[in-house]
Amino acid sequence: RRVAVVGAGVSGLTATKCCLEEGLEPTCFEQSEDIGGVWRYTEHIEAGRPSLYPSVISNTSKEMSAFSDFPYPEDFPVFLPNAQLLDYLQRYAERFGLRKHIKFGTAVISIRKHPDFATTGQWDVVTEADGKQTSYVFDAVMVCSGNFSEPSLPLHCFPGIKKFQGQYFHSRQYKHPDVFRGKRVLVVGMGNSGVDIAVEASRIAKKVTISTGRGAWLLSRVFDQGYPWDMVFNTRLRSLIRNSLPGPLSRALINYRLNQRFNHENYGLQPEKSCLMREPVLNDDLPSYILTGRITIKPGIKEFKNNSVIFHKCPEEEPIDIVIFCTGYNVSFPFLEEADVKVENNHASLYRYVFPTHLQRPTLAVIGLIKTLGAMMPVTEMQARWVTRVFKGLCQLPPQSVMEKEVNKVKKNQVRRFGLSFDEVLKTEWLVYMDELASFIGAKPSVLRLLCRDPQLALTIFFGPCTPYQYRLGGPGHWEGARQAILTQWDRTLKPTRTRV
C-alpha cells in the first residue's frame, strides 16, 4: 500500500518511519529543500512554511520529547536550542533511512478522492516541482503540514489600527530584536511567542508593554528541586490524581500550585476566568522583568490612535512606536477539499484529533493537529503508529455515527473546561491521550503486570516521568532498548548539568 505523506517536519518524519515499520510504501513531499519543518531556521521567510526566530528553545525537555525508540544524545542540553533539535531530527532521518523516501522542493497542489474511492479508498495527489506538475494515485494520505504557516491577524478586532502611523506586523515575521532598539514596543497576545519576543525586545527597547485580555499561567522550565517541569508534571501518579479529582477541585489544585512560585494577580497575569483551565506559558524571565520594570502588563486594547494606544479600563493613552501581533495561526489545508476535512471556527472535526469522521474509507489522517500540555514529538509518533495500523486493517475505527458522537462530546467537554477559542478546543491531557492511542495498538504498558516480573521498572514507570520509551516495552514496534532507556533517563537528563568536576 502506497502512502503519501505531506511535509517533512517532526510529524512527517515519524509518519514516514511508521509507514516503513508497518511495511507500507511512503512517499513524503516536502516543498522546501530540507527536513525539519518549524525547527529549520532560515533567515528569510518562506511562503507556506513555518518561520522561526533564532533564539527559540524547546519548551519540553529532551527525555520527554524524544521519539520512543531514539533517545537524544546524553550530552545534549535538557532544553534544546532550535539548531540542536534540528540536529536530532537529522540524526533520526539518517538512522532510519528516511531521506530516500522524501521528495524535496515538491509542493502538494491538490489531494482529491479517486473516482472509485468508495471501494478502494484511493486518492489522486497532484504535486509541483520546478514548475512541473505530476499526478499520483495513493492508497492513503497522512497530512503532516502543521498549523504554523498561515498567520491569524484579525485587524478588524483592533479599532483604529489603520490610522496607526507606527509599524506593525505578525510574530511570524519576527527574526531579530534589533528592530526594537530604542523603541516603545507593544506585544499583543500572551502565548509563548509573545512572551519570548517581549523578553528579547525589553533588553534593547525603550519600553515594552504586553497587552492580554485573558491573562496566563506562567511556568518555568526549572521546576521542583530544579528538575525539568514536564518530568515532574507528566507522571502516571500525578495524572491519576489530576483526573480522579472532581473538576473544580482539580482546577483549584492546579491554580494553587501555579501560584506558589509567585502570585499571578500581583503581576497582572491572573487568568480572567480562573475557573477555566489555561495552557501555561513557559518562560523563565518574565516575572523578574516585570519586577525590574522592563515589561509592563496591560489589559486588552480598546483603540489605536495615530501614535498611541488606549487599553480597556485605562483612560490615558500609551505612546507606541511598534506593535507585534502574537495572535496565533489559522488551521488551513489548501490542498484538500473542504468536504474532506471540515474546518469550522478554525477547528477541524477529527476523531481522536486524527481521522475525519465522514469518509467512507479511513485512508486520510491528519497528524499533529492537537495541543497538549506536554511534548509534541511523542504525540505525533503515537498518532502515526496508530494511523499506519488502521491503514493496514490491523486496527478498526468505530462506525461513523459513534465517531461523530465522540467528537461532539469531546468538543463540548473541552469548551466547558477551556473556553471557546481554537487553541483551547484542541487541548487534552497529554498522558491520557498517549495511553488511549497506545491501547488501540496494544502498546500501553501495564504497571500491574510489570510489578510482578520487574518491580524496579514498574515503580519507575508509575512514579517517574512518563518518557516515550514506555510505549516500546511491548506490542508492535517493540524495542529491546526501551527498559534500559527508562532506567537511565535521569542520567541523560543530569549529565549536561553536572559539568563541574
Side-chain angles (χ1 to χ4, degrees):
R1 293 176 64 83
R2 302 176 67 230
V3 180
V5 179
V6 184
V10 167
S11 301
L13 290 175
T14 193
T16 302
K17 190 249 189 186
C18 289
C19 284
L20 295 173
E21 277 187 333
E22 292 294 344
L24 303 174
E25 186 184 331
T27 302
C28 180
F29 299 104
E30 170 55 47
Q31 68 176 5
S32 70
E33 298 304 321
D34 205 353
I35 66 170
V38 71
W39 293 105
R40 184 169 70 84
Y41 173 77
T42 54
E43 187 61 36
H44 60 286
I45 299 169
E46 299 177 19
R49 70 172 294 264
S51 178
L52 189 72
Y53 45 97
S55 58
V56 168
I57 295 174
S58 67
N59 283 336
T60 52
S61 63
K62 66 176 184 179
E63 287 302 299
M64 301 297 285
S65 303
F67 291 122
S68 59
D69 55 357
F70 193 69
Y72 280 84
E74 60 179 13
D75 58 339
F76 272 36
V78 179
F79 291 94
L80 296 128
N82 60 80
Q84 282 185 291
L85 210 151
L86 178 60
D87 181 20
Y88 171 76
L89 295 177
Q90 289 168 337
R91 292 177 188 221
Y92 181 76
E94 181 70 22
R95 167 68 180 80
F96 296 106
L98 305 182
R99 283 185 178 273
K100 61 188 176 186
H101 300 280
I102 304 172
K103 291 183 180 293
F104 292 106
T106 305
V108 174
I109 303 302
S110 74
I111 298 174
R112 301 288 184 266
K113 292 191 188 85
H114 198 57
D116 59 357
F117 177 83
T119 54
T120 65
Q122 290 182 325
W123 297 86
D124 293 324
V125 177
V126 179
T127 66
E128 185 175 298
D130 299 323
K132 180 184 175 184
Q133 291 195 354
T134 308
S135 296
Y136 302 86
V137 176
F138 284 97
D139 298 303
V141 175
M142 299 173 82
V143 178
C144 306
S145 52
N147 61 303
F148 295 107
S149 300
E150 187 181 307
S152 171
L153 190 54
L155 295 180
H156 63 278
C157 298
F158 301 97
I161 187 64
K162 294 296 183 183
K163 63 185 177 184
F164 178 66
Q165 295 177 0
Q167 183 181 1
Y168 65 86
F169 54 92
H170 190 272
S171 58
R172 183 172 184 266
Q173 297 174 270
Y174 173 74
K175 291 292 180 181
H176 302 284
D178 298 345
V179 66
F180 302 130
R181 189 175 298 279
K183 305 286 188 180
R184 294 165 297 193
V185 180
L186 172 63
V187 176
V188 180
M190 200 163 179
N192 285 300
S193 295
V195 173
D196 283 351
I197 293 169
V199 165
E200 273 197 11
S202 70
R203 293 169 185 147
I204 60 172
K206 183 177 181 180
K207 183 177 183 183
V208 174
T209 303
I210 296 177
S211 168
T212 172
R214 301 190 312 168
W217 296 115
L218 200 70
L219 269 181
S220 171
R221 292 179 178 87
V222 185
F223 213 60
D224 294 350
Q225 298 179 308
Y227 294 123
W229 75 270
D230 51 352
M231 294 184 79
V232 176
F233 185 83
N234 279 324
T235 70
R236 292 189 175 278
L237 174 63
R238 289 185 180 235
S239 178
L240 180 66
I241 293 171
R242 282 195 301 272
N243 289 285
S244 298
L245 293 173
L249 184 56
S250 178
R251 288 191 290 273
L253 195 61
I254 291 172
N255 291 359
Y256 170 77
R257 183 68 185 83
L258 291 172
N259 269 320
Q260 276 191 309
R261 181 180 168 213
F262 66 92
N263 188 317
H264 283 61
E265 193 170 352
N266 292 343
Y267 285 70
L269 299 174
Q270 181 81 14
E272 193 175 61
K273 295 181 179 179
S274 58
C275 62
L276 296 177
M277 295 176 72
R278 295 285 182 221
E279 179 188 22
V281 173
L282 266 291
N283 192 276
D284 305 290
D285 300 314
L286 183 62
S288 63
Y289 279 39
I290 293 173
L291 277 182
T292 54
R294 290 185 178 188
I295 294 176
T296 304
I297 307 296
K298 291 284 189 176
I301 293 166
K302 183 178 181 182
E303 183 184 4
F304 279 97
K305 299 289 188 181
N306 288 350
N307 298 293
S308 61
V309 65
I310 300 175
F311 299 101
H312 288 293
K313 304 175 186 175
C314 301
E316 68 276 4
E317 295 183 18
E318 181 98 23
I320 293 294
D321 301 310
I322 295 182
V323 182
I324 180 162
F325 288 97
C326 302
T327 44
Y329 293 83
N330 294 320
V331 176
S332 174
F333 305 105
F335 44 81
L336 288 173
E337 286 189 304
E338 190 176 338
D340 293 332
V341 176
K342 298 175 182 175
V343 178
E344 297 175 327
N345 299 321
N346 220 19
H347 169 67
S349 294
L350 301 168
Y351 176 66
R352 296 295 195 265
Y353 307 99
V354 174
F355 284 102
T357 57
H358 58 284
L359 294 178
Q360 295 159 295
R361 298 278 176 173
T363 55
L364 176 73
V366 179
I367 307 295
L369 190 64
I370 184 173
K371 283 188 172 246
T372 62
L373 187 52
M376 273 302 295
M377 282 188 190
V379 171
T380 58
E381 181 189 38
M382 188 61 73
Q383 288 179 331
R385 290 174 70 185
W386 175 42
V387 165
T388 50
R389 291 183 72 76
V390 171
F391 287 170
K392 280 190 72 175
L394 299 174
C395 290
Q396 303 295 323
L397 297 183
Q400 178 181 336
S401 59
V402 174
M403 290 195 290
E404 288 180 348
K405 186 177 179 181
E406 178 71 22
V407 167
N408 291 331
K409 179 183 175 184
V410 168
K411 187 174 179 180
K412 284 179 183 176
N413 286 341
Q414 300 299 64
V415 168
R416 180 172 52 79
R417 291 175 64 201
F418 295 106
L420 283 169
S421 78
F422 149 72
D423 279 355
E424 314 305 337
V425 169
L426 281 179
K427 296 246 175 55
T428 190
E429 172 82 17
W430 185 85
L431 203 154
V432 171
Y433 184 69
M434 290 284 286
D435 272 359
E436 185 177 61
L437 297 195
S439 67
F440 292 163
I441 65 172
K444 180 184 173 183
S446 170
V447 177
L448 289 177
R449 221 173 290 140
L450 280 172
L451 198 58
C452 299
R453 70 170 194 264
D454 194 341
Q456 181 190 8
L457 181 61
L459 295 174
T460 303
I461 284 175
F462 185 71
F463 291 103
C466 182
T467 45
Y469 324 120
Q470 293 189 13
Y471 300 104
R472 291 282 180 177
L473 287 168
H478 167 69
W479 176 45
E480 290 293 340
R483 181 183 187 276
Q484 184 63 15
I486 293 168
L487 296 179
T488 56
Q489 58 199 9
W490 284 111
D491 297 336
R492 287 187 301 279
T493 301
L494 297 175
K495 170 143 190 203
T497 65
R498 291 176 170 171
T499 54
R500 179 171 161 233
V501 179

